[in-house]
Amino acid sequence: MAGRLATELRQRTDEQLHSDLESAHQELFTLRFQAATRQLADVSKIRKTRRQIARLRTLLGERARTAGPPAADEE
């Protein structure tokens, strides 16, 4: 399952991945708040969301490394 998910994520653009990452961070905040107030029924969602954030960060990091170093201004 994780391989299929990673394949789907690799097909997304950088903007979409950044948007997904922001949404995952917001979801994690909400889940943590619900857990603190004892309103969260499925605590495994926190772990799944943290792993989703890690996947997105990994993909963005891979893309940044393959893009190469930024061009230096020649003066």
Side-chain angles (χ1 to χ4, degrees):
M1 180 180 150
R4 183 177 51 89
L5 181 60
T7 304
E8 290 175 8
L9 288 175
R10 288 187 200 289
Q11 295 173 353
R12 300 179 68 97
T13 64
D14 286 349
E15 293 83 22
Q16 290 172 328
L17 290 176
H18 282 290
S19 175
D20 290 346
L21 182 60
E22 185 177 333
S23 297
H25 276 293
Q26 289 175 353
E27 182 179 356
L28 181 60
F29 175 80
T30 302
L31 292 172
R32 285 180 175 165
F33 187 79
Q34 288 176 353
T37 58
R38 307 232 184 231
Q39 295 176 352
L40 184 61
D42 186 11
V43 293
S44 68
K45 287 183 180 181
I46 293 175
R47 183 177 184 185
K48 290 175 185 175
T49 304
R50 284 180 35 223
R51 289 184 177 200
Q52 179 68 12
I53 290 170
R55 274 189 203 96
L56 292 167
R57 284 184 175 173
T58 299
L59 287 173
L60 288 169
E62 285 176 357
R63 289 184 182 186
R65 283 189 298 277
T66 58
D73 292 331
E74 295 182 35
E75 293 180 24

PDB file of all heavy atoms in Angstrom, residues 11 45 47 57 67 70:
ATOM      1  N   GLN A  11       3.703  11.631  -8.669  1.00  0.00           N
ATOM      2  CA  GLN A  11       3.096  12.189  -9.869  1.00  0.00           C
ATOM      3  C   GLN A  11       2.568  13.605  -9.640  1.00  0.00           C
ATOM      4  O   GLN A  11       2.206  14.282 -10.584  1.00  0.00           O
ATOM      5  CB  GLN A  11       1.966  11.290 -10.347  1.00  0.00           C
ATOM      6  CG  GLN A  11       2.450   9.923 -10.788  1.00  0.00           C
ATOM      7  CD  GLN A  11       1.319   8.973 -11.101  1.00  0.00           C
ATOM      8  OE1 GLN A  11       0.156   9.280 -10.874  1.00  0.00           O
ATOM      9  NE2 GLN A  11       1.650   7.803 -11.621  1.00  0.00           N
ATOM     10  N   LYS A  45      -4.692   7.633  13.986  1.00  0.00           N
ATOM     11  CA  LYS A  45      -4.682   8.679  12.953  1.00  0.00           C
ATOM     12  C   LYS A  45      -3.504   9.621  13.136  1.00  0.00           C
ATOM     13  O   LYS A  45      -2.980  10.153  12.162  1.00  0.00           O
ATOM     14  CB  LYS A  45      -5.993   9.474  12.990  1.00  0.00           C
ATOM     15  CG  LYS A  45      -7.178   8.727  12.456  1.00  0.00           C
ATOM     16  CD  LYS A  45      -8.400   9.617  12.457  1.00  0.00           C
ATOM     17  CE  LYS A  45      -9.607   8.889  11.922  1.00  0.00           C
ATOM     18  NZ  LYS A  45     -10.795   9.759  11.908  1.00  0.00           N
ATOM     19  N   ARG A  47      -0.467   8.834  14.214  1.00  0.00           N
ATOM     20  CA  ARG A  47       0.701   8.166  13.642  1.00  0.00           C
ATOM     21  C   ARG A  47       0.651   8.176  12.115  1.00  0.00           C
ATOM     22  O   ARG A  47       1.658   8.425  11.448  1.00  0.00           O
ATOM     23  CB  ARG A  47       0.775   6.738  14.164  1.00  0.00           C
ATOM     24  CG  ARG A  47       1.982   5.992  13.698  1.00  0.00           C
ATOM     25  CD  ARG A  47       2.023   4.621  14.310  1.00  0.00           C
ATOM     26  NE  ARG A  47       3.240   3.935  13.922  1.00  0.00           N
ATOM     27  CZ  ARG A  47       3.511   2.690  14.223  1.00  0.00           C
ATOM     28  NH1 ARG A  47       2.660   1.983  14.931  1.00  0.00           N
ATOM     29  NH2 ARG A  47       4.628   2.138  13.833  1.00  0.00           N
ATOM     30  N   ARG A  57       7.701  15.250   3.072  1.00  0.00           N
ATOM     31  CA  ARG A  57       8.989  15.914   3.252  1.00  0.00           C
ATOM     32  C   ARG A  57      10.100  15.167   2.508  1.00  0.00           C
ATOM     33  O   ARG A  57      11.000  15.791   1.932  1.00  0.00           O
ATOM     34  CB  ARG A  57       9.343  16.013   4.731  1.00  0.00           C
ATOM     35  CG  ARG A  57       8.579  17.079   5.456  1.00  0.00           C
ATOM     36  CD  ARG A  57       9.059  17.179   6.875  1.00  0.00           C
ATOM     37  NE  ARG A  57       8.408  18.281   7.561  1.00  0.00           N
ATOM     38  CZ  ARG A  57       8.542  18.514   8.853  1.00  0.00           C
ATOM     39  NH1 ARG A  57       9.285  17.725   9.598  1.00  0.00           N
ATOM     40  NH2 ARG A  57       7.916  19.529   9.409  1.00  0.00           N
ATOM     41  N   ALA A  67      17.331  18.631  -8.160  1.00  0.00           N
ATOM     42  CA  ALA A  67      17.296  19.881  -8.913  1.00  0.00           C
ATOM     43  C   ALA A  67      18.681  20.518  -8.945  1.00  0.00           C
ATOM     44  O   ALA A  67      18.969  21.350  -9.800  1.00  0.00           O
ATOM     45  CB  ALA A  67      16.291  20.851  -8.299  1.00  0.00           C
ATOM     46  N   PRO A  70      21.405  25.833  -6.164  1.00  0.00           N
ATOM     47  CA  PRO A  70      20.933  27.047  -6.835  1.00  0.00           C
ATOM     48  C   PRO A  70      22.088  27.741  -7.546  1.00  0.00           C
ATOM     49  O   PRO A  70      23.244  27.686  -7.093  1.00  0.00           O
ATOM     50  CB  PRO A  70      20.383  27.905  -5.702  1.00  0.00           C
ATOM     51  CG  PRO A  70      20.946  27.326  -4.452  1.00  0.00           C
ATOM     52  CD  PRO A  70      21.293  25.900  -4.728  1.00  0.00           C
TER      53      PRO A  70
END
